Amino acid sequence: MELVVKKYTGEDTGRKVSLSDAVFAIEPNDHAIYLDVKQFLAHQRQGTHKSKERNEVSGSTRKIKKQKGTGTARAGSIKSPVFVGGGRIFGPRPRTYGFKLNKKVKSLARKSALTYKAKGESISVIEDFTFSAPKTKDFIKMLEVLALADKKTLVVLPAVDKNIVLSGRNLERSKVALAADVTTYDLLHADHVVFVESSIQTVENTLN
């Protein structure tokens, strides 16, 4: 598959770049995508939920009434879970929701997501560039000339470029990611993926 390379100003460079079939034209595996996205979202959970059990609730441990003769159930402490304000039985405890996923599965998931984007003609390539200074209006102008201003856009960089990252980080519908770190979730969440030309080689080297 070949794509036209444009400048970030919207002009055509007259060049084309070839995308590797081993990364952008495989047989997609939906289950691998499901597992990778599930793991990504699981790692976003803080897992800090906690409720107090009976040994952690404030209150006296004095036996509140005699064992027999009251006509009601036995009770040993006001902190018992059967009373209002008592401890909670089997309540939530801090935990980690993350789980392990094989590298080959994660790689397959990302290649599957890239294949879906390629089939849907949702990938663009722009020539390597940088901004002279961090300016959000320059980033917005770039999206406008590429006809992507109204779409959720993922811009993939080959390496950290502070000016580009700072220019795009405040835009709700856009995200800037590094080629080596781009996730399946980011690819699927975006309506359109914009690759800076050098980042394509990085992605192909990472996933092959």
Side-chain angles (χ1 to χ4, degrees), residues 3-14:
L3 292 178
V4 174
V5 180
K6 295 184 178 181
K7 294 184 179 180
Y8 80 96
T9 54
E11 303 167 3
D12 195 337
T13 63

Side-chain angles (χ1 to χ4, degrees), residues 6-10 126-127 129-131 141-142 145-146:
K6 295 184 178 181
K7 294 184 179 180
Y8 80 96
T9 54
I126 57 177
E127 194 175 44
F129 74 101
T130 187
F131 294 137
K141 185 177 180 180
M142 177 188 73
V145 298
L146 295 174

Side-chain angles (χ1 to χ4, degrees), residues 137-153:
K137 65 180 181 181
D138 289 344
F139 197 95
I140 294 175
K141 185 177 180 180
M142 177 188 73
L143 295 178
E144 288 176 346
V145 298
L146 295 174
L148 299 174
D150 59 341
K151 295 183 178 181
K152 289 185 290 185
T153 308

Side-chain angles (χ1 to χ4, degrees), residues 18 27 35 43 84 93 95 120 129-130 156 168 178 188 198:
S18 296
E27 182 66 32
L35 291 175
H43 278 97
V84 174
R93 293 184 176 185
R95 56 165 291 192
F129 74 101
T130 187
V156 183
L178 296 181
L188 295 178
S198 297

